[in-house]
Amino acid sequence: MSVNAAVLMIFLPLVMAPAIYLFGRAVEKNRPEGLTTAVNSAALLVMAVLWIPYVLTVRQFAATGPIVLVYGDVALIVDGLSLLLAAAALALGTLVILYSKAHMSGKLGDEKYYSSVVAMTGMIIGLGCANDLFNLWVWFEGMAVSSYLLVVFYRDRPTALEAGVKYLVQSAVGSVTVLIGIALVFAHTGEIGFGALAAANMTTPVLLGAGALFTIGFGVKIALVPMHTWLPDAHAQAPSGISALLSGVVIEAGLIALLRVLGALSGDVMPSWGALLMAFAAVNMLLGNLMALRQTQVKRLLAYSSLSHMGYMLLGIGVAVYIGQANGAQGGLFHLLTHGMMKGLAFLAAGAFIYATSGASHDTSQDHGLTLGDLNGAARRYPFEALALSIAVLGLAGLPPLAGFMSKWQIFVAGFEAHNTVIGLLVVFAALNSVLSLAYYAPIVNAVYRRQPSTAVMEGVRLPISMRIPMAVLTLAVIAVGVWPRLVYWLIVPAGGALSAMFGS
Amino acid sequence: MLALLIWLAIGLPVLGGLIVAVIGDGREKAQHAVAVGFSAAAAVAALALLPQASGAEAVSVSFGPMFGDLTFVPDGLAVFLAAVATVVGSLAVIFSVDYMAGEAQLGRYYSFVLYFIGAMAALALTGNLFFLFLFWEITALCSYALISFYNDDPKAVAGGIKALIITQLGGVGLLALALMAYAQTGSFEISTFLAAAPGIPTAVLGLMAYGALIAAAAKSAQFPFHTWLPDAMEAPTPVSALIHAATMVNAGIYLLARLYPAFADVPGWRTAVALVGLISALIAALMAIVATDLKRLLAYSTVSQLGYMVYAVGVGGVFASQFHLLSHAVFKALLFLAAGSIIHALGTRDMREMGGVGRRMPFVRNVFIIGAIALIGLPPLNGFWSKELILEEGLLHGPAWAYAIMLVGVALTALYTLRGVSMVFFSQDGGRQAHDAGRAMKISLAILAAGTFATWLFAGSFSRMLAATLPAHGLHELTVGHLAAEVLGAPATYLALGAALVGMAVWQWRGRLPWAARSPGWLAAASESGFGLETINRLTGAATQKAGAILQRTQTGQLNWNIAGMAFGLIAVLIILAWSV
């Protein structure tokens, strides 16, 4: 019974995704006008059902520790890291599905959208549980493929297609790079299981080269600089719910994949990988912030900000890998969670404004790019959405009493616990970057609370409750975790422990 | 009982802020009532703490290992600042009932004012460096939100963002300090840090000390971070009175006073602190002499007076700095609120357009003059006693040249204050319509004016409270009798009074003095550029934008370049690995 819960958690979404698609096709054939509601309800039902095996798995993990599943050469493990990623994927997935209902017009193939979201969620859960190289790659590819369709969902828009093609090609090059790395490792060591690789503890130039290939290959998905160039376009062109998922879980899943692999390969050169991660952290933070400063389009601004937040996560994790302590890992993973909440909320709020300004047709696919000017005076007609957006961006800037402050603090504490001058300076650099980010987050808040509304706001339409509930949930979460971070300790402490165990501390 | 009072003093304003927001902007009278009620209740709770001050930890809530425990320690310094914040806060809220009557988005205004009061009380009362930083940041958020309250005014928005960024930059100093304390002692508790300070390596302690100075200078608008306070005057005037004169800007002085025992022996630190205070006092007074905007004049004056407090800490006069903090909070809030009445009535902040408004607003004129006398430092008002105490400490324990400059500052203070009073009330009538202050405004003004006569009488109980609850600081009780004897008996006092009279005389008879007939041209230019710092601000901002613009070229939009980026990345990673392994 207990093993089955974990198996269901991993494989049930993959079974339900095609089922949703087929259900949708059947509804379309018989009663096309009911398509949007029917398929959305089906998807919501599926997500609700998926929470049950997740909760059971969490309880089992709390009782007996990591759950190992082996099917022939396929090795899966459910540890703290898997449960964290699964929680993020399920939570954001459920909220985005509910949120997307209003955006669907029934003309672009709703059933493909929802089945892709469910499939992507399932792939991410599986990725978090992978315990050998090849099967990790398969889940990773599955996640990438299901996300391609979602990014280009507005396929009548040339800019969306352009963004999708760039994302597809770069992602594919990344995947091939990873595959070459896997081949190198297998040829060199004869093993692909993470446990076996870690036990072998070999540190040869070939394996270091493979590690470099993995860093670059997964780095595309993680949006490490200079592999990040697909991100701004993809986030801006995708439907807002998908942007939320991309920033909130997909890039983080790439990070988890990379960490699993490096954990298995690192052996005695762990500090070098830690230093490398910290170097990427510094570059990501700076470039993300400087580029975001120049943006006038809200969704592109948020996309660049995801780059800098990935930098914070890498800083925390890099410190943990470098010195071999758990606090940095816990901090970095805490930031993974809070960033998912806050960035998800920010994108959902931006999407709400895009919907509001889309006119009576509610055709969000014709969005010409929501700018700061369009947000002027939004609070007069949309006070809740304006509040949600403000809380999201102020949280991202790291202002208390919101979640981002707490997670950034944990990362900074871990950095100073290293008693290393360079790392200390890096923490100060990160804090200064946080201050810099205020320069582009604060104007958003100022814009929405103006008294004089923009034309877009004045002509805006009402927002349905299906969009507001996910935003309300995330807003409350951001405030609650900011005031009382212990609420999520049950999730992040085992995850941090699992991560530092992987790197042999 | 102590714990309950602490939670009330902090929690009531926060609760009030939430209720005001929920009530909504349609019900203005209810919003005013809730705001006044909750802020007044918090003031009562904070005042009730005063007699019960104790150095022992009263509240402790565990937040886990990386945050430490949320502790509240109601010692003398803490309850004093909490009382100032809540009392002046409630007076500013009462004033707002008239000042902000009929304003749009009133809920947002009151919420942030109330959250600020709660956060400030918490900042003062907490005994944990992490939570000190947390509340420090919350006050910065509220300050930003209130400065840019009129979001449609680009100057207000720019002022708010400028204040936010400059104070946050300074905040990195406090962040580093807290983290280093944790790294050295394993705890965030201030008491643990103060006890362990002698054992911390000098290099690390030095970094912490200067980090604290940077954070304090930024928060208290001291040189070189003074440029945000004048621009923050775009805020509604009750906000200027509360946050930017009486409370938030005192947080820096509070931090220096609180951590003084740990840093006093760090080489060069006390000199640096005294120097920062001295320079700020001087340049701000100079900038005030040429100011034409009434609120900016008061802002420069605040920077200058805060400089006196910082200087006091630098020469070892911790009690003197807190005593002047009390006086200044009262008379500066009085001056700001009175200025607010005038601005509200006349519709302008330009002193050249005010003229003979004194005849039409006698009540406001009288209380403003009372505040001015306190600011100049004439007996028997509170400003006289506290400023003299600082100058004496400076003469006894600091370098003589520093004392001389501070004395010049006294003369300049008298000069700009008299200039301000005469421009606003006694010069050519601007002809604008004006009505005297409304009832709510008068209540706040009257209480504060009474305070300028009375607060110095609490010197004895105040010093006794500090001495008893802050053993690490080595403070002594100073009864009112002793204070009077010391001040009235010291020659320094008469030097200072003489300087003040000289300053007033120079203004009064500037026609007869060729060099004082018109303010020197260089002074106006220097004031415009904030003595060079505005230029630095502008250049920093421009450089950052330029860096972003250069980086934008890497986002070519062309797939080939994007893939090439991956190749560069791979090469870079291989090089780093080859070099580091």
Side-chain angles (χ1 to χ4, degrees):
Chain A
M1 180 60 219
S2 41
V3 174
N4 288 345
V7 171
L8 278 177
M9 178 181 84
I10 298 171
F11 292 105
L12 194 55
L14 306 181
V15 169
M16 299 314 305
I20 294 175
Y21 176 74
L22 292 170
F23 173 71
R25 300 296 281 153
V27 167
E28 200 191 351
K29 201 180 287 221
N30 299 327
R31 217 174 61 92
E33 65 286 357
L35 178 65
T36 315
T37 322
V39 83
N40 181 275
S41 312
L44 271 177
L45 184 63
V46 165
M47 292 304 278
V49 163
L50 285 176
W51 278 102
I52 301 172
Y54 175 76
V55 171
L56 290 172
T57 313
V58 169
R59 288 174 54 183
Q60 198 209 335
F61 173 77
T64 60
I67 306 165
V68 178
L69 303 164
V70 178
Y71 304 103
D73 284 327
V74 176
L76 297 168
I77 185 168
V78 179
D79 62 9
L81 208 51
S82 333
L83 290 174
L84 175 67
L85 194 56
L90 279 173
L92 266 181
T94 318
L95 293 172
V96 166
I97 287 180
L98 177 58
Y99 175 88
S100 302
K101 180 170 176 193
H103 288 259
M104 293 290 121
S105 56
K107 287 178 291 199
L108 289 170
D110 297 16
E111 70 281 358
K112 297 195 251 300
Y113 180 92
Y114 292 114
S115 62
S116 296
V117 171
V118 174
M120 193 168 77
T121 308
M123 295 292 179
I124 293 174
I125 296 176
L127 187 154
C129 299
N131 207 19
D132 74 71
L133 275 174
F134 186 70
N135 126 57
L136 175 72
W137 183 83
V138 171
W139 293 111
F140 181 74
E141 270 301 274
M143 174 183 83
V145 169
S146 44
S147 68
Y148 298 147
L149 175 60
L150 292 169
V151 167
V152 294
F153 191 67
Y154 294 142
R155 53 190 172 275
D156 297 325
R157 218 163 51 184
T159 45
L161 287 175
E162 182 188 333
V165 166
K166 285 186 207 166
Y167 174 43
L168 168 63
V169 173
Q170 290 186 258
S171 199
V173 172
S175 293
V176 167
T177 313
V178 171
L179 206 52
I180 297 174
I182 296 177
L184 271 178
V185 172
F186 186 57
H188 198 70
T189 63
E191 301 280 356
I192 56 166
F194 290 142
L197 281 170
N201 200 9
M202 299 166 65
T203 344
T204 63
V206 174
L207 286 181
L208 282 178
L213 287 169
F214 288 129
T215 309
I216 300 302
F218 287 121
V220 175
K221 202 49 124 250
I222 303 172
L224 297 180
V225 174
M227 281 77 69
H228 66 286
T229 37
W230 61 273
L231 189 101
D233 295 336
H235 278 66
Q237 300 302 325
S240 302
I242 302 306
S243 309
L245 278 175
L246 277 178
S247 258
V249 258
V250 172
I251 58 179
E252 284 79 358
L255 180 61
I256 303 289
L258 178 63
L259 292 172
R260 288 268 193 217
V261 171
L262 288 182
L265 290 184
S266 53
D268 297 324
V269 296
M270 212 171 63
S272 300
W273 289 115
L276 186 68
L277 289 175
M278 288 192 279
F280 273 118
V283 178
N284 264 57
M285 276 191 266
L286 191 61
L287 188 136
N289 279 327
L290 287 177
M291 294 288 279
L293 207 52
R294 309 284 304 166
Q295 303 304 314
T296 50
Q297 274 195 40
V298 177
K299 286 180 77 173
R300 276 186 91 88
L301 186 151
L302 293 173
Y304 280 113
S305 117
S306 292
L307 283 182
S308 69
H309 282 274
M310 182 52 69
Y312 292 112
M313 291 180 231
L314 286 168
L315 177 61
I317 294 174
V319 169
V321 170
Y322 187 78
I323 2 171
Q325 43 87 302
N327 283 344
Q330 192 180 315
L333 292 172
F334 187 16
H335 198 68
L336 189 152
L337 193 63
T338 59
H339 175 253
M341 291 192 285
M342 297 183 295
K343 193 48 72 61
L345 178 61
F347 271 115
L348 294 188
F353 287 119
I354 292 175
Y355 178 90
T357 55
S358 62
S361 65
H362 303 312
D363 189 1
T364 50
S365 70
Q366 296 312 311
D367 152 44
H368 296 289
L370 184 75
T371 63
L372 223 55
D374 294 330
L375 286 177
N376 282 343
R380 291 198 68 182
R381 292 202 60 202
Y382 304 103
F384 169 67
E385 289 73 15
L387 181 66
L389 183 59
S390 305
I391 286 180
V393 298
L394 290 174
L396 286 166
L399 286 173
L402 302 171
F405 177 78
M406 292 299 184
S407 54
K408 280 188 188 173
W409 179 263
Q410 277 207 336
I411 296 172
F412 296 162
V413 169
F416 267 74
E417 277 179 341
H419 286 100
N420 177 315
T421 320
V422 175
I423 297 183
L425 285 173
L426 200 52
V427 169
V428 172
F429 177 74
L432 289 172
N433 267 288
S434 233
V435 177
L436 174 58
S437 70
L438 282 167
Y440 58 82
Y441 287 130
I444 297 177
V445 181
N446 287 112
V448 295
Y449 283 105
R450 284 187 160 198
R451 289 187 54 198
Q452 196 57 23
S454 64
T455 342
V457 166
M458 281 205 290
E459 296 168 2
V461 301
R462 273 182 57 88
L463 292 171
I465 192 102
S466 62
M467 284 179 84
R468 293 179 155 174
I469 295 177
M471 285 171 30
V473 169
L474 285 173
T475 310
L476 284 169
V478 169
I479 298 174
V481 173
V483 171
W484 191 239
R486 302 192 82 157
L487 280 174
V488 292
Y489 274 14
W490 62 273
L491 202 50
I492 58 175
V493 172
L499 189 55
S500 42
M502 272 163 35
F503 283 94
S505 58
Chain B
M1 191 58 202
L2 263 181
L4 176 65
L5 283 174
I6 292 174
W7 283 118
L8 283 176
I10 297 171
L12 282 174
V14 175
L15 184 60
L18 288 168
I19 294 177
V20 164
V22 166
I23 284 179
D25 288 338
R27 286 181 284 193
E28 192 184 314
K29 288 185 87 149
Q31 287 180 316
H32 288 304
V34 167
V36 172
F38 278 85
S39 59
V44 168
L47 286 170
L49 276 173
L50 282 171
Q52 302 188 50
S54 114
E57 186 182 282
V59 171
S60 178
V61 179
S62 172
F63 266 70
M66 302 233 248
F67 305 112
D69 299 334
L70 172 59
T71 54
F72 290 120
V73 181
D75 63 29
L77 207 50
V79 302
F80 158 65
L81 194 58
V84 168
T86 48
V87 170
V88 178
S90 54
L91 291 174
V93 169
I94 292 172
F95 188 88
S96 302
V97 173
D98 275 344
Y99 192 86
M100 301 293 283
E103 281 278 353
Q105 300 184 333
L106 198 59
R108 193 160 61 88
Y109 172 80
Y110 274 133
S111 293
F112 275 110
V113 172
L114 289 165
Y115 295 149
F116 170 80
I117 295 174
M120 195 66 210
L123 189 160
L125 286 164
T126 188
N128 173 318
L129 282 169
F130 162 68
F131 283 101
L132 186 79
F133 178 62
L134 188 152
F135 295 122
W136 184 280
E137 299 272 287
I138 295 182
T139 59
L141 170 64
C142 297
S143 163
Y144 148 73
L146 289 165
I147 294 172
S148 57
F149 179 70
Y150 299 118
N151 279 304
D152 294 275
D153 180 0
K155 285 204 330 248
V157 173
I161 296 182
K162 181 176 181 180
L164 185 61
I165 292 187
I166 294 182
T167 54
Q168 292 288 73
L169 274 176
V172 175
L174 178 55
L175 175 128
L177 155 64
L179 290 173
M180 279 191 266
Y182 177 72
Q184 292 291 322
T185 65
S187 157
F188 287 107
E189 289 298 312
I190 295 176
S191 49
T192 314
F193 168 60
L194 289 178
I200 294 178
T202 327
V204 177
L205 196 62
L207 280 174
M208 294 171 76
Y210 288 99
L213 181 56
I214 290 173
K219 197 71 155 179
S220 297
Q222 298 292 284
F223 179 85
F225 301 110
H226 56 277
T227 50
W228 68 267
L229 193 61
D231 289 351
M233 295 297 115
E234 302 298 327
T237 306
V239 169
S240 305
L242 172 62
I243 298 185
H244 303 126
T247 327
M248 188 181 85
V249 292
N250 291 326
I253 317 254
Y254 167 81
L255 182 70
L256 291 175
R258 165 109 16 238
L259 298 177
Y260 180 80
F263 298 141
D265 295 321
V266 171
W269 186 73
R270 288 176 46 184
T271 318
V273 172
L275 211 54
V276 164
L278 192 152
I279 297 176
S280 310
L282 189 63
I283 65 173
L286 286 171
M287 292 196 275
I289 292 175
V290 292
T292 51
D293 177 324
L294 178 55
K295 286 183 73 175
R296 281 183 89 97
L297 168 68
L298 294 175
Y300 290 128
S301 168
T302 303
V303 174
S304 185
Q305 293 300 301
L306 289 168
Y308 275 88
M309 293 178 227
V310 173
Y311 165 78
V313 173
V315 298
V318 172
F319 173 68
S321 76
Q322 299 305 301
F323 192 39
H324 196 56
L325 195 156
L326 174 61
S327 304
H328 178 259
V330 173
F331 69 67
K332 196 45 74 60
L334 172 64
L335 284 168
F336 263 110
L337 291 184
S341 304
I342 298 169
I343 295 167
H344 192 256
L346 290 182
T348 178
R349 282 162 41 186
D350 193 326
M351 292 192 290
R352 295 167 296 194
E353 297 176 26
M354 289 181 184
V357 78
R359 265 178 303 278
R360 268 163 287 152
M361 302 182 76
F363 181 83
V364 173
R365 178 197 64 209
N366 295 338
V367 293
F368 193 96
I369 290 176
I370 291 174
I373 294 174
L375 172 56
I376 295 175
L378 297 174
L381 300 183
N382 57 10
F384 166 68
W385 302 101
S386 51
K387 195 182 286 191
E388 293 308 329
L389 203 57
I390 290 182
L391 289 170
E392 262 186 57
E393 290 281 340
L395 189 57
L396 281 173
H397 301 125
W401 56 269
Y403 172 76
I405 294 181
M406 296 312 263
L407 210 53
V408 171
V410 171
L412 293 174
T413 308
L415 201 169
Y416 71 67
T417 309
L418 189 58
R419 171 178 176 268
V421 168
S422 67
M423 275 179 86
V424 173
F425 297 109
F426 296 115
S427 58
Q428 196 72 20
D429 199 320
R432 282 180 175 251
Q433 288 299 328
H435 53 273
D436 210 349
R439 196 179 55 147
M441 291 188 186
K442 278 191 178 157
I443 293 175
S444 302
L445 290 170
I447 295 177
L448 287 168
T452 59
F453 283 95
T455 62
W456 67 279
L457 293 166
F458 293 105
S461 36
F462 187 21
S463 55
R464 191 167 47 242
M465 179 176 72
L466 287 180
T469 60
L470 293 165
H473 284 72
L475 297 165
H476 308 286
E477 180 181 345
L478 180 69
T479 61
V480 177
H482 264 120
L483 172 68
E486 240 182 78
V487 170
L488 292 173
T493 307
Y494 300 97
L495 268 177
L497 281 175
L501 288 170
V502 165
M504 289 193 283
V506 168
W507 170 258
Q508 195 62 23
W509 290 297
R510 66 193 179 283
R512 314 260 186 92
L513 302 161
W515 51 270
R518 238 173 313 126
S519 59
W522 66 267
L523 191 53
S527 175
E528 195 79 28
S529 77
F531 277 79
L533 270 307
E534 294 284 7
T535 319
I536 294 180
N537 287 349
R538 214 175 15 88
L539 290 174
T540 314
T544 314
Q545 288 284 357
K546 185 81 180 145
I550 292 174
L551 276 177
Q552 268 187 307
R553 286 187 248 152
T554 62
Q555 187 76 11
T556 56
Q558 293 178 35
L559 195 51
N560 286 334
W561 278 111
N562 296 350
I563 305 289
M566 289 174 63
F568 296 146
L570 183 58
I571 295 170
V573 170
L574 287 170
I575 292 176
I576 293 177
L577 284 175
W579 172 69
S580 73
V581 169

